[in-house]
Amino acid sequence: MDIQTLTFIIVGLTFALYIGIAIWSRAGSTNDFYVASGGVHPVANGMATAADWMSAASFISMAGIVAFAGYDGSVYLMGWTGGYVLLAMCLAPYLRKFGKFTVPDFIGDRYYSQTARTIAVLCAILISFTYIAGQMRGVGVVFSRFLEVDIATGVIIGAIIVFFYTVLGGMKGITYTQVAQYVVLMFAYVVPAVFISLMMTDHFLPQTGFGATIAEGVPGEGSYLLERLDGLSKELGFAAYTEGVRSKIDVFFITAALMVGTAGLPHVIVRFFTVPKVRDARRSAFWALTFISIVYLTAPAIASFAKVNIFNTVNGPDLQGVEYENAPSWVKNWEKTGLITWEDKNEDGKMFYSGDERNEMTIDRDIMVLANPEIADLPAWVVALVAAGGVAAALSTSAGLLLVISTSVSHDLLKRNLMPNITDKKELLYARVAAATAIIISVYFGIYPPGFVAQVVAFAFGLAAASFFPAIILGIFHKRMNRQGAVAGMVVGILFTFCYIVFFKFVSPELNTPEYWLFGISPEGIGTLGMIINFVVATIVHKATGDAPEDIQELVESIRYPKGSGEAQSH
């Protein structure tokens, strides 16, 4: 059976499974829709959180960015993993103790301010739309290759699927759908890596394979894989794979932005309201980190295998180039999507891929994981499984983000602010209407994204780091922090970060080089500076305007000791 048919069958079966779960777990109340009635087991919640977390950026683009950036790409692995440790230690149990549905709900009540709530809603929506653009782009990349449609059509197909089970099932449907999606994407990520590791190094574990010697019969046999990759990279005009080119300060700021951004992402935080007890919030974070590590620890191996195989198959074992007429099938397949292009500059009829003036090809980094099984000439069912995993990763996170947008509008903006007297039924209706509106907007950003998947997502982390993280940390650990300080910090932090990113990415992209960056910090890392500015502004304004009221300080004291809590409350 060919790849196309197998892909239709496997992806179709996973879609049927997701939709079936959504119908089975249909939300009947706002409590079901927002937090799955707070009854999810910690292991299931950890698995769902892992699926929610391992978006298209993790599944599709992370190994790609490591493959292209080498050592510098490790910031994504360190930042995204370390963020969960921060989340488990500093945020999850306290927010669960507080017992509100959403982050804006916490900020609004903790800072006794509808203005703070409204600003938090706007921040949540901005962050979520920035994040969801990367997910929709990921869906389009997957479908453009494996369903043989253009990226725009692929985005629309994915949007229809995710809209169906988000609007129907809410958090309850999303949670159990994401458990299934995690299983799919985990196998889709790990199985090809095991195959390729055995083929290239005779090691079963990819994590040891990419540090081992190359197997007999493979180009470069007998040498260490990473030494071979470094040698090929230098010979072809790229930076050595194991050496970084970013400055240490930029690496630090990007890693920190990804870490604190993780702890401030609204679609991740809301997952800790779905468990019965405060203790279960910590357990959920532990299980989430465990499930995430299975994939994250495999990414460097996938990146290394893919880069070596690309050099070998495009440039040939002798690095003289391969005749285009004899190009491997994966090149021709991905050319149809426009994500690989070839221009015969020297008119010799041969492809050549390099990092200097000899280069004749462009290879989109977002295809690395998806194309990896084809590059390694693995069985067709493995290729189809990877397609299903890529779709699962993108759809799972898209669903969580849509839920954040819909609840931010219906619950935080309408129910808790503009329309406090609406019924439970009306609130649920408004949530679904908001999700429908959000999906339409996200389709546009998916078709016209402001960068490759992981880069777009990195901007969302920067915005979360600069806005939510300081407000939540101060709200938990600084009982005297008042509303004026929190509001001022959030506004200044997110405006600074947003303007910096927009300037270098859209207004003057030609200036997006280290010599023009503030303190040598790239747009991907500026969220850390935005966070620092947020803390400083909040502290200064607090000192000038006095302490929070006594009842608020007592409330903070009560959540500082997370022993026992009731169900998540809507008011």
Side-chain angles (χ1 to χ4, degrees):
M1 196 177 293
D2 62 16
I3 292 175
Q4 190 68 31
T5 304
L6 275 170
T7 301
F8 276 116
I9 292 172
I10 293 178
V11 173
L13 287 173
T14 59
F15 278 2
L17 175 63
Y18 305 152
I19 292 171
I21 292 173
I23 294 172
W24 167 72
S25 56
R26 179 171 180 168
S29 67
T30 52
N31 206 21
D32 275 347
F33 193 87
Y34 294 146
V35 291
S37 295
V40 181
H41 191 277
V43 176
N45 195 50
M47 196 174 290
T49 304
D52 204 351
W53 177 247
M54 285 184 294
S55 60
S58 291
F59 187 94
I60 296 174
S61 196
M62 183 173 61
I65 199 169
V66 174
F68 279 79
Y71 178 84
D72 286 338
S74 64
V75 297
Y76 289 87
L77 295 167
M78 294 186 293
W80 286 342
T81 306
Y84 262 90
V85 178
L86 193 62
L87 188 61
M89 296 295 292
C90 298
L91 300 183
Y94 304 105
L95 291 174
R96 179 63 189 88
K97 171 73 173 182
F98 198 81
K100 295 296 177 180
F101 279 148
T102 63
V103 174
D105 220 5
F106 168 80
I107 289 175
D109 284 9
R110 162 59 182 87
Y111 294 110
Y112 52 98
S113 168
Q114 293 292 17
T115 301
R117 187 190 309 278
T118 303
I119 290 171
V121 168
L122 295 176
C123 290
I125 292 173
L126 176 61
I127 292 164
S128 298
F129 272 124
T130 305
Y131 206 133
I132 207 170
Q135 311 316 309
M136 289 291 105
R137 165 71 175 178
V139 173
V141 170
V142 176
F143 284 158
S144 66
R145 163 65 187 93
F146 295 107
L147 301 185
E148 294 189 350
V149 296
D150 58 36
I151 287 180
T153 304
V155 169
I156 293 169
I157 293 171
I160 291 170
I161 297 293
V162 75
F163 171 74
F164 180 85
Y165 67 76
T166 302
V167 169
L168 186 65
M171 180 57 80
K172 188 175 180 182
I174 287 171
T175 296
Y176 295 109
T177 300
Q178 286 175 335
V179 170
Q181 287 169 331
Y182 172 78
V183 175
V184 172
L185 70 88
M186 185 271 290
F187 276 103
Y189 206 81
V190 173
V191 168
V194 170
F195 268 94
I196 298 171
S197 183
L198 285 169
M199 292 170 61
M200 295 188 70
T201 67
D202 290 331
H203 277 239
F204 176 79
L205 287 176
Q207 292 84 351
T208 60
F210 88 114
T213 55
I214 297 174
E216 187 177 344
V218 179
E221 61 180 86
S223 61
Y224 282 102
L225 182 87
L226 289 177
E227 285 183 355
R228 166 78 172 167
L229 183 50
D230 271 352
L232 289 172
S233 298
K234 290 178 179 178
E235 193 167 343
L236 293 170
F238 295 98
Y241 189 77
T242 57
E243 297 175 8
V245 295
R246 286 185 180 272
S247 66
K248 289 183 179 179
I249 188 172
D250 195 31
V251 168
F252 173 81
F253 270 72
I254 293 175
T255 304
L258 295 172
M259 283 184 66
V260 296
T262 298
L265 281 177
H267 77 288
V268 173
I269 290 174
V270 74
R271 293 231 56 94
F272 297 102
F273 296 117
T274 66
V275 292
K277 303 173 185 176
V278 171
R279 181 176 60 180
D280 294 333
R282 284 195 190 276
R283 289 178 175 176
S284 292
F286 165 77
W287 283 111
L289 190 57
T290 301
F291 291 127
I292 288 167
S293 66
I294 294 173
V295 171
Y296 272 34
L297 293 175
T298 310
I302 288 180
S304 303
F305 297 149
K307 199 68 178 289
V308 171
N309 278 332
I310 283 178
F311 289 152
N312 288 339
T313 56
V314 172
N315 296 327
D318 58 358
L319 301 185
Q320 298 302 308
V322 172
E323 294 281 349
Y324 181 73
E325 291 182 359
N326 301 322
S329 59
W330 71 270
V331 173
K332 301 288 182 69
N333 290 335
W334 283 97
E335 261 192 320
K336 297 173 186 175
T337 68
L339 298 173
I340 285 182
T341 60
W342 171 63
E343 180 186 355
D344 192 8
K345 293 179 180 178
N346 58 8
E347 298 182 352
D348 65 351
K350 293 182 177 180
M351 301 180 298
F352 197 82
Y353 180 54
S354 70
D356 52 30
E357 68 282 351
R358 298 172 292 168
N359 184 49
E360 297 179 334
M361 302 192 72
T362 58
I363 300 176
D364 192 304
R365 67 187 71 194
D366 284 340
I367 75 167
M368 296 301 290
V369 170
L370 299 174
N372 207 22
E374 291 180 273
I375 298 172
D377 201 23
L378 296 184
W381 67 268
V382 179
V383 178
L385 180 63
V386 170
V391 173
L395 295 186
S396 62
T397 304
S398 298
L401 293 165
L402 283 176
L403 194 68
V404 166
I405 294 169
S406 66
T407 54
S408 294
V409 172
S410 65
H411 181 70
D412 299 313
L413 192 60
L414 299 181
K415 177 71 173 179
R416 298 304 309 278
N417 198 343
L418 303 178
M419 303 168 64
N421 296 320
I422 59 172
T423 64
D424 189 74
K425 189 175 181 180
K426 272 284 184 68
E427 186 182 348
L428 189 58
L429 173 64
Y430 285 131
R432 286 171 168 155
V433 171
T437 305
I439 199 74
I440 293 170
I441 298 171
S442 68
V443 165
Y444 173 82
F445 285 116
I447 296 171
Y448 304 105
F452 61 87
V453 175
Q455 186 183 48
V456 174
V457 169
F459 298 152
F461 281 80
L463 295 172
S467 57
F468 280 142
F469 183 76
I472 295 171
I473 286 291
L474 291 172
I476 295 171
F477 296 103
H478 188 355
K479 66 180 183 180
R480 294 193 300 274
M481 177 54 64
N482 62 15
R483 62 186 175 191
Q484 294 92 333
V487 168
M490 280 195 296
V491 171
V492 174
I494 199 165
L495 282 179
F496 167 78
T497 305
F498 180 76
C499 292
Y500 191 92
I501 291 171
V502 168
F503 177 79
F504 282 111
K505 289 297 178 181
F506 304 106
V507 177
S508 300
E510 72 279 0
L511 300 180
N512 190 22
T513 57
E515 61 183 307
Y516 294 105
W517 294 340
L518 184 63
F519 306 126
I521 304 168
S522 66
E524 288 82 0
I526 200 63
T528 301
L529 186 56
M531 174 195 69
I532 295 170
I533 291 172
N534 185 331
F535 275 120
V536 171
V537 169
T539 302
I540 291 173
V541 173
H542 163 242
K543 292 293 184 184
T545 53
D547 292 342
E550 284 297 324
D551 61 319
I552 296 298
Q553 294 189 41
E554 291 174 5
L555 174 66
V556 175
E557 281 286 338
S558 71
I559 67 171
R560 287 274 296 278
Y561 301 95
K563 288 178 68 176
S565 70
E567 296 180 357
Q569 301 295 317
S570 61
H571 58 274

